[in-house]
Amino acid sequence: MSPYTPLITPKAKTFTLGDWWVAFLSIALALLLTSCGGGGTSGASTSDSIGTSDPTLPPAANPNTSTNVSPGVYTALWIDPSDKITKTITSVVMQTSTTSPVSAQFYALYFNSPSDPDIYSGSLSGIGSNSAVINSLGYFQNGTGTLRTGTATLTVPEAGRLDTSVSYASMSTDGPRSWSANPESSLKQDTPAAISSIQGKWTGRWSYAYGFAENFTVNISDTGTVSSFMTFQSDCQITNGNVAPAIGGVNLFNLSFNVPNATQCFVKGQSLTGAAYITRSTIPGKTQQLQWVATAPSGRGISFRADR
């Protein structure tokens, strides 16, 4: 027997074609997981999904609990001293800028007659604080088409209340110059508006100061396109209409449409902008009520109310 143990040199394993294929697949899988974010943080997050609020803006304030002037819809009952009849005033505050959260648009519908309202409108500054101002207020009267200009101040004396005071050279037949309103109870104000709630066919009363069109039909597509085949004031018609959820997560819609040049039309050749919202209908057999208001730069405007 040999007096020593021979040194055994290991023999390298020879890779077969199958071994090389397994190695290739392992490397490829590792690269794929790395590029897709597997095992780590994904490059896309749920906050990027369609319909989320602008992350640069605070959540919509609930006007029922906020002590600041907040976007939303407010309703007031006002006793007209001329006839002692209680009339409704609906105010709308809608934020208009993502870069300037204190800027907003103000609209108010004063239902001097049961169905056709006067329209107050103006750019509002100071929302998010206890007081906001309108330096150029328009007051457009239903029936006469008279347009007056002035100023207004909005304050919140306590949570769930919005006081409005307007100032302009008025006549005895003009509408109210101050009112106290509460958030509209049939509207969940601090929930973002959804196009699905407003899309479809709406038939109602179209008011335009010099008259009205009953059974006026408007169609809204699932992308927010607004159209109508009907005319008002003889030959006025809306074109290029659109609605979109208002910024800031409030339950309102931005509204816009054009009115082409027409012989009789009091807003011919102008672009109108405004607000729309959906509340519960009080008409038996109906579930939704659409209210909208839109004004031209001058302050002259149109309102529309429909139930379905």
Side-chain angles (χ1 to χ4, degrees):
M1 173 179 260
S2 172
Y4 62 92
T5 301
L7 181 63
I8 300 175
T9 304
K11 185 176 181 181
K13 178 182 177 181
T14 303
F15 277 81
T16 66
L17 179 61
D19 294 328
W20 284 111
W21 180 244
V22 171
F24 170 77
L25 289 178
S26 298
I27 294 171
L29 180 60
L31 291 173
L32 178 63
L33 288 173
T34 300
S35 65
C36 293
T41 302
S42 173
S45 66
T46 55
S47 63
D48 295 325
S49 61
I50 296 173
T52 53
S53 299
D54 188 331
T56 65
L57 296 175
N62 185 342
N64 289 289
T65 57
S66 176
T67 55
N68 295 324
V69 179
S70 304
V73 180
Y74 303 81
T75 302
L77 296 178
W78 183 76
I79 300 176
D80 189 338
S82 66
D83 56 17
K84 309 303 180 184
I85 296 175
T86 299
K87 299 173 181 179
T88 301
I89 306 171
T90 300
S91 302
V92 179
V93 177
M94 186 170 69
Q95 191 172 337
T96 55
S97 173
T98 58
T99 57
S100 178
V102 300
S103 298
Q105 186 70 20
F106 172 80
Y107 301 97
L109 299 174
Y110 165 51
F111 288 88
N112 186 29
S113 66
S115 302
D116 305 305
D118 295 355
I119 299 173
Y120 298 82
S121 64
S123 296
L124 185 65
S125 178
I127 65 169
S129 64
N130 184 256
S131 178
V133 297
I134 301 173
N135 292 320
S136 181
L137 176 78
Y139 171 51
F140 186 54
Q141 286 184 294
N142 175 64
T144 65
T146 301
L147 177 66
R148 304 193 189 284
T149 58
T151 61
T153 301
L154 279 63
T155 57
V156 180
E158 60 184 349
R161 177 177 157 189
L162 180 67
D163 288 357
T164 301
S165 177
V166 302
S167 176
Y168 56 87
S170 62
M171 304 291 288
S172 59
T173 56
D174 289 350
R177 295 203 289 180
S178 64
W179 60 88
S180 182
N182 304 110
E184 171 58 50
S185 60
S186 65
L187 178 67
K188 186 168 175 51
Q189 313 248 18
D190 56 347
T191 298
I195 288 291
S196 58
S197 69
I198 198 173
Q199 74 176 88
K201 178 181 178 180
W202 295 91
T203 300
R205 189 177 179 101
W206 184 273
S207 301
Y208 54 93
Y210 301 99
F212 63 89
E214 198 66 82
N215 298 318
F216 194 90
T217 297
V218 167
N219 292 287
I220 302 175
S221 75
D222 58 0
T223 59
T225 299
V226 178
S227 61
S228 178
F229 64 89
M230 303 188 73
T231 60
F232 60 99
Q233 201 182 11
S234 298
D235 54 359
C236 305
Q237 192 169 21
I238 66 171
T239 61
N240 301 320
N242 186 73
V243 292
I247 62 175
V250 69
N251 201 357
L252 292 169
F253 295 92
N254 289 305
L255 166 69
S256 64
F257 57 86
N258 297 334
V259 177
N261 282 313
T263 306
Q264 303 296 325
C265 197
F266 74 105
V267 285
K268 60 183 178 181
Q270 298 189 56
S271 297
L272 282 75
T273 56
Y277 58 92
I278 305 291
T279 56
R280 291 193 303 268
S281 175
T282 58
I283 297 178
K286 309 286 186 179
T287 59
Q288 290 180 302
Q289 181 178 90
L290 167 65
Q291 178 69 67
W292 85 23
V293 55
T295 58
S298 64
R300 293 176 171 84
I302 291 166
S303 67
F304 178 58
R305 175 175 284 185
D307 294 83
R308 66 181 185 184

